[in-house]
Amino acid sequence: MAAFAYVGSVLSGYSGVLLEPDVENPDQILPIMLMDYAPTCLPR
């Protein structure tokens, strides 16, 4: 049951690799995805 808690992070990581293939540092995928695809949550 606890494995379902990790599904969101795994899906966001894999989708980030597909949507942003030129990212040099894989640790930056989540912040880049948030800035590009969730602009109402984070101010620029």
Side-chain angles (χ1 to χ4, degrees):
M1 192 69 165
F4 289 112
Y6 298 109
V7 171
S9 62
V10 171
L11 288 176
S12 66
Y14 283 135
S15 64
V17 170
L18 293 174
L19 293 172
E20 303 288 338
D22 298 330
V23 175
E24 294 179 11
N25 186 1
D27 292 335
Q28 295 297 319
I29 288 178
L30 183 61
I32 289 172
M33 294 282 289
L34 286 174
M35 293 298 288
D36 290 344
Y37 298 103
T40 58
C41 296
L42 298 172
R44 287 193 173 206

